[in-house]
């Protein structure tokens, strides 16, 4: 599908460096903010639906378009009292522990017509921090990255938190039961998708994160040590990647990618960035 998308934003970078005798230090911070909106779709279309997203002219691409949840029914009285302005019970087949969905159009039933635009998959801003230092053959560098403001769809959790068939699912959940009503996890019900449907905001989460992307240490052996060895340069390195991630996201990795621009914020269980540790020795002759 052909589409015209307008991107506007700015990028700011501040850098500093200092050298004092044999010690040198450098640091930089970058800040990026980009807003996009759909100008037009091909073939005269004004909107495109893809999965749980909608893209409309004048709005950002791939906005979340889902049913809205409003907690869990705690008892039969709450079910009976959930009515339209005309007195029609909206979810008469629900039982305590089921999800209450918002009847946004007020027609007394929960259908696709009740779906609403509830958030954006695009971050409000992204940041990076780099720092490095050198002293008498020793050197150090690190890189932090951060993202704030994106709402993402946890496709991994939408699979492992279904509990509507005989598959094996994750442990540690606390579903609703009469003895455990203080939870946001609905009752487990086999053979019904009422509490497991994936087109609701239940699986939308904050995609905010801060990550230590890289940290490394190095040491260059002095030439006096290498004298008469036939080695002109010897360097030892120790580095690590992705070892610290600060986030509330419950999926495998908040730094996921999705190549479909209309579903940019959908995490289909993408393979996570691995924690890696490396030790290296370099010789030059």
């Amino acid at each position: 599908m052909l589409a015209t998308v307008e991107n506007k934003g700015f990028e700011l970078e501040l850098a500093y460096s200092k050298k004092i005798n044999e010690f040198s230090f450098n640091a930089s911070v970058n800040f990026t903010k980009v807003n996009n909106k759909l100008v037009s779709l091909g073939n005269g279309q004004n909107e495109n639906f893809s999965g749980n997203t909608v893209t409309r002219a004048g709005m950002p691409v791939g906005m979340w378009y889902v049913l809205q949840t409003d907690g869990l029914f705690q008892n039969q009285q709450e079910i009976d009292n959930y009515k339209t302005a005309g007195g029609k019970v909206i979810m008469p087949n629900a039982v305590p522990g089921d999800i209450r969905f918002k009847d946004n159009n007020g027609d007394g039933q929960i259908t696709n017509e009740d779906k609403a635009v509830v958030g954006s998959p695009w971050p409000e801003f992204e940041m990076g921090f780099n720092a490095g230092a050198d002293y008498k053959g020793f050197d150090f560098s690190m890189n932090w990255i951060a993202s704030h403001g994106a709402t993402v769809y946890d496709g991994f959790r939408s699979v492992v938190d279904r509990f509507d068939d005989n598959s094996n699912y994750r442990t540690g959940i606390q579903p609703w039961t009469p003895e455990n009503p203080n939870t946001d996890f609905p009752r487990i019900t086999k053979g019904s998708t009422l509490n497991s449907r994936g087109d609701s905001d239940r699986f939308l989460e904050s995609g905010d994160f801060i990550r230590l992307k890289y940290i490394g240490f190095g040491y260059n052996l002095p030439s006096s040590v290498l004298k008469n060895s036939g080695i002109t340069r010897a360097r030892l390195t120790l580095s690590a990647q992705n070892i610290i991630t600060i986030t509330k996201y419950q999926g495998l990795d908040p730094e996921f990618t999705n190549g479909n621009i209309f579903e940019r914020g959908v995490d289909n269980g993408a393979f996570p960035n691995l924690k890696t540790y490396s030790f290296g020795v370099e010789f030059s002759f």
Side-chain angles (χ1 to χ4, degrees):
M1 176 181 292
L2 297 176
T4 302
V5 178
E6 179 183 86
N7 293 287
K8 290 184 178 180
F10 66 90
E11 184 172 356
L12 175 67
E13 182 171 2
L14 301 175
Y16 176 80
S17 62
K18 182 75 172 180
K19 185 173 184 180
I20 305 174
N21 299 323
E22 295 184 77
F23 175 77
S24 63
F25 170 80
N26 65 84
S28 66
V29 176
N30 59 74
F31 178 94
T32 303
K33 181 175 178 62
V34 177
N35 295 321
N36 78 80
K37 70 176 182 179
L38 178 73
V39 177
S40 65
L41 287 168
N43 302 321
Q45 298 183 60
N46 291 319
E47 63 182 9
N48 174 69
F49 295 93
S50 181
N52 291 319
T53 74
V54 63
T55 300
R56 290 173 174 156
M59 294 176 59
V61 175
M63 297 290 283
W64 298 115
Y65 185 69
V66 292
L67 294 174
Q68 293 177 280
T69 58
D70 187 25
L72 306 177
F73 291 115
Q74 295 295 328
N75 50 59
Q76 187 62 44
Q77 184 178 3
E78 290 187 2
I79 297 170
D80 296 339
N81 290 339
Y82 186 39
K83 302 176 181 180
T84 65
K88 179 182 178 181
V89 177
I90 297 171
M91 298 180 63
N93 296 323
V95 300
D98 284 345
I99 297 173
R100 176 168 48 221
F101 294 99
K102 291 185 178 181
D103 179 26
N104 285 323
N105 67 356
D107 67 353
Q109 55 186 337
I110 304 302
T111 67
N112 287 337
E113 301 302 316
D114 295 306
K115 290 184 177 180
V117 176
V118 299
S120 171
W122 304 95
E124 294 180 14
F125 64 83
E126 295 176 298
M127 294 185 67
F129 173 72
N130 299 279
D134 292 271
Y135 179 71
K136 290 186 175 181
F138 291 93
D139 58 84
F140 161 78
S141 62
M142 69 175 178
N143 166 232
W144 290 82
I145 60 174
S147 178
H148 171 72
T151 299
V152 299
Y153 184 86
D154 190 344
F156 171 75
R157 191 161 62 86
S158 74
V159 173
V160 299
D161 281 359
R162 290 181 59 91
F163 293 94
D164 59 352
D165 59 21
N166 290 323
S167 300
N168 289 321
Y169 299 103
R170 68 181 177 94
T171 61
I173 65 159
Q174 298 293 324
W176 187 96
T177 64
E179 296 74 32
N180 182 46
N182 297 318
T183 178
D184 60 357
F185 201 105
R187 73 183 181 97
I188 293 176
T189 171
K190 181 183 176 183
S192 169
T193 60
L194 178 64
N195 292 328
S196 61
R197 58 188 303 169
D199 59 345
S200 77
D201 61 10
R202 179 186 170 200
F203 301 114
L204 293 180
E205 300 182 32
S206 168
D208 292 2
F209 73 90
I210 300 172
R211 168 168 282 171
L212 177 57
K213 193 66 179 174
Y214 173 86
I215 186 169
F217 301 87
Y219 177 64
N220 295 302
L221 274 67
S223 56
S224 59
V225 174
L226 303 176
K227 185 173 57 177
N228 302 323
S229 67
I231 300 173
T232 59
R233 180 175 180 270
R235 175 173 170 77
L236 306 177
T237 59
L238 178 65
S239 64
Q241 293 179 306
N242 306 310
I243 57 172
I244 298 176
T245 302
I246 303 171
T247 185
K248 293 183 178 180
Y249 180 58
Q250 299 178 66
L252 300 179
D253 189 342
E255 193 190 354
F256 65 88
T257 58
N258 189 318
N260 183 346
I261 188 174
F262 295 109
E263 298 186 22
R264 180 191 186 277
V266 178
D267 178 8
N268 288 315
F271 196 79
N273 289 272
L274 297 177
K275 294 181 179 181
T276 60
Y277 301 86
S278 303
F279 175 74
V281 180
E282 300 176 33
F283 294 104
S284 298
F285 297 91

